[in-house]
């Protein structure tokens, strides 16, 4: 029983860990474009409904609203944002640039692109400012619902009580427009406290330093094999459902096929070792497949459902 409780705790722990953080941002000023770089920490992360916003400091953070000179962008209810792999860097300039991808590690898309974001107010990073990610369902005003924040040029008293928060005491001015972590340890602790600064030059879509690169690499190793970030129109597989959860000896995998094709289902452990469960051809429409996991050890796995048009991964718990 103690072992089972420990496994359940480890399975639930990521729900309370840092899921997504701000890896750096740029105050565009007069000549550049305000840009925010977001790092996805939790694998298979669903960003739909999350809010990215900046702040106007004149009225105080707890009561601040978008009408006071700040603005926000909400991640659209699009399948594009539904399953983002761990270690993905999202480069988000204040522009309407279309989606650009560098392999499966960097995605660039403009915040003013209405397909992927809903805009409110006037997002404009200032020399002394704070950029925050907020949970779905949180109000845009104030700091309630914060997931992570990065500030520059603000006093400790101004940002008191906001956590997790990474802050730098210097401004993001024209000479040093980039705010970013020092990344001394190469883990999530780099994104809380005062270990940050502003610099004259930084490159989006890349690690901040060697320790940050090690952190990105460690996150990317958590992914199930053959990960892909697919646009919803390219997917041949949608609405994947797994029941029961947790799994004992077997489970039913339901899914919607947009077109007929071959579906492969496998179970991948946390070290990346895959166990093939079934491969079969399915017609378009609603499908249901029964698979057995009775011969695998108790623990945490990824159930991987793969077609020629994409791949879905769901973290599952096998209990005995």
């Amino acid at each position: 029983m103690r072992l089972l409780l420990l496994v359940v705790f480890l399975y639930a722990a990521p729900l309370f860990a840092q899921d997504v953080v701000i890896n750096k941002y740029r105050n565009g000023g007069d000549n550049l474009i305000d840009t925010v770089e977001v790092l996805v920490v939790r694998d298979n992360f669903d960003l739909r409904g999350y809010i990215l916003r900046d702040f106007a400091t004149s009225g105080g953070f707890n009561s601040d609203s978008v009408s006071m000179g700040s603005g926000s962008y909400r991640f659209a209810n699009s399948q594009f944002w539904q399953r983002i792999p761990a270690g993905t860097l999202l480069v988000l300039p204040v522009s309407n640039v279309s989606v650009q991808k560098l392999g499966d590690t960097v995605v660039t898309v403009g915040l003013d692109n209405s397909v992927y974001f809903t805009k409110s107010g006037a997002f404009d990073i200032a020399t002394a400012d704070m950029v925050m990610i907020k949970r779905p369902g949180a109000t845009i005003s104030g700091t309630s619902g914060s997931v992570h924040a990065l500030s520059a040029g603000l006093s400790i008293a101004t940002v008191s009580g906001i956590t997790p928060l990474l802050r730098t005491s210097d401004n993001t001015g024209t000479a040093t427009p980039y705010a970013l972590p020092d990344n001394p340890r190469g883990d999530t602790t780099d994104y809380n406290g005062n270990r940050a600064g502003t610099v004259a030059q930084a490159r989006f879509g890349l690690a901040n330093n060697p320790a940050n690169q090690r952190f990105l690499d460690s996150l990317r190793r958590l992914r199930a094999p053959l990960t892909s970030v697919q646009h919803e129109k390219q997917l041949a597989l949608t609405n994947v459902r797994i029941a029961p959860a947790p799994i004992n000896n077997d489970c039913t995998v339901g899914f919607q096929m947009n077109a007929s094709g071959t579906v492969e289902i496998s179970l991948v452990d946390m070290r990346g070792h895959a166990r093939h469960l079934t491969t079969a051809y399915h017609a378009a429409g609603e499908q249901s497949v029964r698979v057995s996991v009775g011969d695998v050890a108790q623990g945490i796995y990824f159930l991987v459902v793969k077609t020629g048009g994409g791949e879905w991964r769901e973290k599952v718990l096998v209990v005995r």
Side-chain angles (χ1 to χ4, degrees):
M1 177 59 71
R2 289 181 179 178
L3 176 60
L4 175 58
L5 291 175
L6 176 61
V7 171
V8 171
F9 172 77
L10 291 173
Y11 178 70
L15 296 176
F16 305 99
Q18 198 64 52
D19 294 333
V20 60
V21 296
I22 300 169
N23 203 49
K24 62 175 77 81
Y25 72 68
R26 178 176 67 195
N27 170 21
D30 296 330
N31 301 317
L32 301 172
I33 299 173
D34 285 359
T35 303
V36 181
E37 181 180 271
V38 172
L39 169 61
V40 176
V41 177
R42 182 183 178 189
D43 196 30
N44 223 17
F45 188 58
D46 190 343
L47 269 168
R48 293 177 298 177
Y50 277 74
I51 301 167
L52 180 71
R53 67 155 301 181
D54 73 326
F55 283 78
T57 61
S58 59
F61 287 128
N62 290 331
S63 61
D64 176 65
S65 69
V66 294
S67 63
M68 297 172 62
S70 60
S72 68
Y73 292 92
R74 185 183 298 273
F75 287 80
N77 185 22
S78 165
Q79 193 170 328
F80 182 85
W81 298 120
Q82 187 172 2
R83 292 174 180 266
I84 308 298
T88 300
L89 289 172
L90 304 176
V91 180
L92 310 174
V94 180
S95 72
N96 61 358
V97 65
S98 58
V99 173
Q100 303 170 19
K101 297 181 181 179
L102 180 61
D104 60 354
T105 59
V106 181
V107 177
T108 300
V109 58
L111 289 166
D112 285 332
N113 189 324
S114 60
V115 175
Y116 302 100
F117 298 95
T118 300
K119 181 179 180 179
S120 179
F123 189 99
D124 185 10
I125 298 175
T127 56
D129 207 339
M130 179 170 65
V131 176
M132 177 179 287
I133 302 174
K134 306 186 75 174
R135 298 188 186 282
T139 59
I140 296 175
S141 62
T143 61
S144 177
S146 173
V147 176
H148 184 248
L150 172 60
S151 72
L154 302 178
S155 68
I156 295 176
T158 302
V159 296
S160 176
I162 301 172
T163 185
L165 166 76
L166 182 66
R167 62 176 292 272
T168 172
S169 59
D170 46 339
N171 293 335
T172 52
T174 55
T176 55
Y178 296 84
L180 70 168
D182 295 337
N183 293 112
R185 297 188 59 178
D187 56 31
T188 54
T189 63
D190 289 340
Y191 297 90
N192 194 36
N194 61 357
R195 296 184 298 270
T198 63
V199 296
Q201 292 291 334
R203 296 183 63 184
F204 291 111
L206 296 176
N208 299 325
N209 61 21
N212 191 220
Q213 184 65 64
R214 291 195 298 271
F215 183 43
L216 297 182
D217 292 341
S218 69
L219 293 174
R220 292 162 185 171
R221 285 194 294 270
L222 293 175
R223 300 176 178 183
L226 302 175
T227 59
S228 60
V229 181
Q230 299 283 350
H231 193 280
E232 57 266 36
K233 293 183 179 178
Q234 296 174 322
L235 289 171
L237 189 72
T238 58
N239 195 26
V240 176
R241 307 169 307 281
I242 302 169
I247 304 171
N248 190 332
N249 291 317
D250 52 21
C251 67
T252 299
V253 182
F255 49 87
Q256 172 78 35
M257 293 286 289
N258 297 338
S260 59
T262 300
V263 176
E264 176 183 324
I265 303 176
S266 58
L267 198 67
V268 181
D269 66 22
M270 302 306 290
R271 301 177 65 182
H273 299 143
R275 176 187 291 270
H276 176 263
L277 298 178
T278 181
T279 300
Y281 184 87
H282 295 276
E286 288 285 344
Q287 301 293 337
S288 179
V289 179
R290 193 77 174 173
V291 295
S292 174
V293 296
D295 59 344
V296 302
Q298 176 173 281
I300 303 168
Y301 297 85
F302 287 103
L303 191 80
V304 182
V305 185
K306 180 182 174 185
T307 72
E311 176 183 301
W312 286 68
R313 294 161 290 120
E314 189 75 33
K315 187 180 289 187
V316 297
L317 175 64
V318 175
V319 298
R320 296 284 178 255

